[in-house]
């Protein structure tokens, strides 16, 4: 098949737009419909669901979407590939078969598994694998915790094998998000596991479309460029035989596909430009983008090298219980009121030391002489954590309310007293690929083990020539006047990718925004490790702030635990920019 394969996305997370599957199938020609439902936090959610019902553990919304489109996909020969299997791919496969029977359809179904290592952790440690935390280096045994989920990130070759066996629907457990594109592209074009450049190109395309409309104008920093403000159409990757691709969307849908929107998504939740995966290392600093027409962006030049001999594994363990109450402070002397409230509350509770963890954060929204009451308020956000749920439950929140008549003037809270909730802690680690059995069960029931691709040292590539630095008079403006940003979470780390629209802007950004200035603009990072990476082909810098999100999304006490707004905050900080770069 020499023409490009048209791979569409209909889900960027568990809970995304239900109508997207039907819109993608009915909106125009596609060859493969994919959906991404898994994140580190999602695995914990699915584990909690499976505790209540052993037959659960998969993304149930996928079944709803499938009911909308299964018949049409079978009629048109559209293959369906999804990681909605979560912790229970065979269970989801059985549910799809039952759905087909109810609809009078007979889809050929395959599933990929082998990623679930939770029952093998003791065996792996006994074999000498310490399962050390990727960021802290702490060994799992030293932490004294028992993971409830442990899933290795598999690649796309099990998916390719299933499609080659004529599967209509392929569901997987924890494969990398990009594998949902790599597998279909490898099947369509007949790639070999050593076609690392082509695979890397598909990884780049997969990374762009995995989060749905984030590639087509959603969460886009320069949103003034989007003239069609309807909900964005979901993205399509037209992947060619050499791995290059065109990112687009169906005609007549909202949003925008531009070099900017694609750049933003390429920078989302990455670390170093050598983007490691189980099938290849994709060198994002070799990626080139070009506008190929309205709502069409070409990705080319992506270089790949062999994957390493270890696979990333996402563990989650039970962190105990937490509760948060937010006190509203109004008017003047905000700091004094906050200190008084904190002192009173913990005196009534018997002291902070009885809790495993306490976080008290004063969030300032107040303005002097505010024109309306709401603009004179600040929030005192108090979070307590402990393995004993009784300590952090109603005892904590009810005690907070005892300040109502005996505390600072103007006391009230944002919510009534709340109950405790359990939370999980994310633990990223590595295991040898040889310890993981990548399996696929084909439509006829045959089970095959997929060999891991050959590993080797990652290559290094030189970027474009260094641009000349822009000089001249400056004006103090928000950084966002010249730089876009996209931010997100990488476990307990936050990533902020910044890019510019011209070479001159990038020359200035690259020379200006070093680690020291970054810390000055983002005070939360002042005492944390900051990793800075350059991607000159994309006119971009990427920063990773290690530990900003604590022990991961589920455990973080930040008001923005996934760092979704961190990039926009950075863009709001004022800096001195050469006037020749300013557009107004």
């Amino acid at each position: 098949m020499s023409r490009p394969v048209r791979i569409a996305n209909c889900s960027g997370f568990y809970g995304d737009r239900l109508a997207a599957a039907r819109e993608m199938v009915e909106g125009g020609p596609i060859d493969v419909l994919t959906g991404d439902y898994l994140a580190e936090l999602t695995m914990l959610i699915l584990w909690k669901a499976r505790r209540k019902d052993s037959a659960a553990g998969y993304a149930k919304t996928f079944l709803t979407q499938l009911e909308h489109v299964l018949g049409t996909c079978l009629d048109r020969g559209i293959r369906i590939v999804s990681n909605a299997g979560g912790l229970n791919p065979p269970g989801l496969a059985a549910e799809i078969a039952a759905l087909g029977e109810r609809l009078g359809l007979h889809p050929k179904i395959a599933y990929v598994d082998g990623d679930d290592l939770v029952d093998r952790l003791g065996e792996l440690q006994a074999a000498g694998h310490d399962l050390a935390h990727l960021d802290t280096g702490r060994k799992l045994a030293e932490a004294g915790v028992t993971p409830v989920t442990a899933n290795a990130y598999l690649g796309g070759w099990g998916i390719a094998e299933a499609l080659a066996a004529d599967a209509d629907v392929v569901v997987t457990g924890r494969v990398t998000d990009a594998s949902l594109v790599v597998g279909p592209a490898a099947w369509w074009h007949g790639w070999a596991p050593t076609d690392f450049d082509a695979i890397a190109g598909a990884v780049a395309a997969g990374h762009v479309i995995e989060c749905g409309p984030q590639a087509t104008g959603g969460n886009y920093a320069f949103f003034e460029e989007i003239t069609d403000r309807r909900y964005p159409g979901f993205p399509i990757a037209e992947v060619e035989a050499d791995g290059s691709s065109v990112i687009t969307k169906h005609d007549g849908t909202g949003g925008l596909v531009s070099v900017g929107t694609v750049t933003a998504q390429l920078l989302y939740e990455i670390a170093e430009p050598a983007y490691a995966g189980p099938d290849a290392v994709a060198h994002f600093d070799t990626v080139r983008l070009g506008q190929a027409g309205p709502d069409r962006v070409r990705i080319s030049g992506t270089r790949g090298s062999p994957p390493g001999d270890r696979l990333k594994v996402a563990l989650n363990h039970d962190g105990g219980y937490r509760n948060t109450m937010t006190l509203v402070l109004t008017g003047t002397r905000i700091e004094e009121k906050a200190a008084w409230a904190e002192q009173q509350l913990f005196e009534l509770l018997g002291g902070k030391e009885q809790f495993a963890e306490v976080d008290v954060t004063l969030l300032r929204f107040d303005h002097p002489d505010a024109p309306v009451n709401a603009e004179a308020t600040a929030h005192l956000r108090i979070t307590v954590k402990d393995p004993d749920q009784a300590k952090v439950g109603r005892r904590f929140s009810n005690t907070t309310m005892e300040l109502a008549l005996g505390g600072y003037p103007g006391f009230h809270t944002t919510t009534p007293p709340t109950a405790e909730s359990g939370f999980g802690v994310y633990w990223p680690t590595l295991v040898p690929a040889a310890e993981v059995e990548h399996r696929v069960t084909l439509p006829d029931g045959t089970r095959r083990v997929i060999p891991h691709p050959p590993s080797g040292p990652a290559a290094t590539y030189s970027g474009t020539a260094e641009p000349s630095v822009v000089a001249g008079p400056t004006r103090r403006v928000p950084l966002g006047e010249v730089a876009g940003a996209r931010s997100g979470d990488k476990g307990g780390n936050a990533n902020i990718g910044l890019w510019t629209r011209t070479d001159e802007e990038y020359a200035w950004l690259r020379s200006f925004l070093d680690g020291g200035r970054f810390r000055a603009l983002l005070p939360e990072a002042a005492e944390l490790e900051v990793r800075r990476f350059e991607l000159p082909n994309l006119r971009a810098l990427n920063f990773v702030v290690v530990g900003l999100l604590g022990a991961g999304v589920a455990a973080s006490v930040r008001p923005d635990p996934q760092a979704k707004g961190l990039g926009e905050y950075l863009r709001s900080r004022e800096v001195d920019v050469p006037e020749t770069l300013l557009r107004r």
Side-chain angles (χ1 to χ4, degrees):
M1 301 179 184
S2 58
R3 71 171 178 84
V5 56
R6 288 176 57 88
I7 303 172
N9 171 280
C10 71
S11 176
F13 65 96
Y14 188 11
D16 206 351
R17 180 174 169 81
L18 283 175
R22 177 178 286 154
E23 291 167 356
M24 297 310 290
V25 169
E26 297 180 355
I30 61 174
D31 301 302
V32 183
L33 179 69
T34 68
D36 179 20
Y37 298 81
L38 301 185
E40 289 87 357
L41 179 61
T42 314
M43 305 307 282
L44 193 65
I45 293 170
L46 295 177
W47 170 73
K48 290 179 179 179
R50 203 169 190 187
R51 273 201 307 177
K52 298 176 182 178
D53 178 3
S54 61
Y58 51 81
K60 293 186 176 181
T61 53
F62 172 68
L63 284 171
T64 303
Q65 291 182 298
L66 200 58
E67 186 170 2
H68 297 163
V69 302
L70 182 57
T72 305
C73 287
L74 293 176
D75 288 343
R76 297 181 184 176
I78 299 171
R79 309 295 183 98
I80 301 169
V81 179
S82 171
N83 62 10
L87 297 176
N88 190 8
L92 178 56
E95 286 295 324
I96 294 169
L99 172 65
E101 288 294 326
R102 291 196 299 273
L103 297 176
L105 304 171
H106 303 284
K108 295 184 285 294
I109 305 161
Y111 65 87
V112 174
D113 66 356
D115 59 295
D116 195 338
L117 304 179
V118 72
D119 293 330
R120 296 186 53 214
L121 295 179
E123 167 197 334
L124 290 168
Q125 291 175 93
H129 309 301
D130 55 25
L131 306 178
H133 193 289
L134 280 179
D135 297 315
T136 67
R138 191 181 188 191
K139 297 178 181 179
L140 183 62
E142 296 172 352
V145 298
T146 302
V148 295
T149 69
N151 297 84
Y153 288 76
L154 302 179
W157 290 104
I159 295 170
E161 184 85 3
L163 294 172
D166 208 27
D168 299 307
V169 183
V170 185
V171 292
T172 76
R174 178 73 274 191
V175 299
T176 67
D177 301 341
S179 294
L180 302 176
V181 169
V182 172
W187 156 70
W188 184 273
H189 294 298
W191 293 340
T194 53
D195 289 331
F196 296 123
D197 285 348
I199 293 166
V203 168
H207 184 70
V208 169
I209 73 168
E210 69 188 44
C211 288
Q214 274 198 166
T216 57
N219 291 335
Y220 183 52
F222 298 119
F223 62 87
E224 66 276 8
E225 297 174 5
I226 303 171
T227 57
D228 189 334
R229 296 292 178 87
R230 292 176 297 165
Y231 193 84
F234 276 61
I236 298 166
E238 299 175 351
V239 184
E240 300 173 20
D242 66 352
S244 59
S245 63
V246 170
I247 305 300
T248 186
K249 61 187 182 71
H250 284 319
D251 292 341
T253 58
L256 172 71
V257 181
S258 69
V259 168
T261 68
V262 173
T263 298
Q265 187 55 29
L266 277 170
L267 295 172
Y268 182 60
E269 295 185 346
I270 65 169
E272 61 272 10
Y275 188 75
D279 296 323
V281 176
H283 297 268
F284 280 9
D285 49 353
T286 64
V287 170
R288 294 187 179 276
L289 303 179
Q291 198 74 40
D295 293 318
R296 294 180 64 81
V297 170
R298 183 171 179 77
I299 303 177
S300 62
T302 310
R303 300 298 304 273
S305 57
D309 61 359
R310 297 189 293 173
L311 296 179
K312 183 178 178 181
V313 180
L315 281 67
N316 284 288
H317 66 81
D318 187 4
Y321 298 88
R322 64 187 289 172
N323 202 349
T324 298
M325 288 293 290
T326 301
L327 285 58
V328 181
L329 313 164
T330 307
T332 60
R333 300 167 70 178
I334 294 293
E335 292 88 350
E336 291 180 62
K337 292 171 182 175
W340 185 12
E342 181 179 351
Q343 174 192 331
Q344 277 191 316
L345 175 61
F346 286 104
E347 282 179 353
L348 292 172
L349 288 167
K352 289 184 180 180
E353 63 277 359
Q354 67 179 293
F355 300 102
E357 185 179 340
V358 173
D359 181 83
V360 181
T361 303
L362 179 60
L363 305 171
R364 301 297 298 266
F365 317 117
D366 53 300
H367 304 289
D369 193 26
V372 295
N373 188 343
E375 294 181 11
T377 62
H379 286 177
L380 185 66
R381 193 170 186 266
I382 303 174
T383 300
V384 291
K385 296 180 180 179
D386 202 84
D388 183 350
Q389 64 185 106
K391 285 185 180 180
V392 300
R394 288 289 183 153
R395 173 177 173 268
F396 163 72
S397 55
N398 287 345
T399 301
T400 303
M401 299 308 296
E402 292 179 19
L403 307 185
L405 304 180
Y408 64 84
F411 173 95
H412 60 288
T413 62
T414 59
T415 64
T418 55
E420 75 286 349
S421 60
F423 70 94
V425 175
Y426 173 63
W427 184 288
T429 190
L430 298 172
V431 300
E435 293 284 3
V436 180
E437 190 173 79
H438 183 169
R439 300 186 298 260
V440 59
T441 300
L442 302 176
D444 64 1
T446 302
R447 204 172 205 190
R448 296 180 186 169
V449 174
I450 304 299
H452 297 288
S455 62
T460 57
Y461 296 95
S462 58
T464 56
E466 294 184 7
S468 57
V469 177
V470 179
T474 63
R475 191 191 320 160
R476 196 157 186 84
V477 297
L479 177 61
E481 290 292 311
V482 292
R486 173 70 59 80
S487 59
D489 62 291
K490 292 291 288 182
N493 304 338
N495 123 272
I496 306 176
L498 297 111
W499 78 96
T500 65
R501 291 171 285 190
T502 69
D503 292 339
E504 293 75 20
E505 290 170 342
Y506 176 65
W508 171 81
L509 182 70
R510 178 180 177 276
S511 63
F512 171 80
L513 197 56
D514 57 17
R517 285 200 177 97
F518 180 88
R519 284 188 170 90
L521 294 175
L522 189 66
E524 290 178 85
E527 303 301 322
L528 299 174
E529 179 187 354
V530 174
R531 301 168 185 166
R532 179 182 181 274
F533 305 100
E534 298 182 5
L535 297 91
N537 285 3
L538 300 178
R539 303 191 189 101
L541 302 176
N542 189 48
F543 292 86
V544 177
V545 185
V546 179
L548 183 68
L549 307 181
V553 173
S556 178
V557 296
R558 295 182 82 254
D560 177 16
Q562 292 179 292
K564 299 296 188 185
L566 199 61
E568 285 300 294
Y569 168 66
L570 194 66
R571 294 182 73 233
S572 75
R573 301 305 308 274
E574 293 190 349
V575 297
D576 295 318
V577 177
E579 290 185 350
T580 56
L581 300 181
L582 298 177
R583 297 172 181 240
R584 58 181 175 83

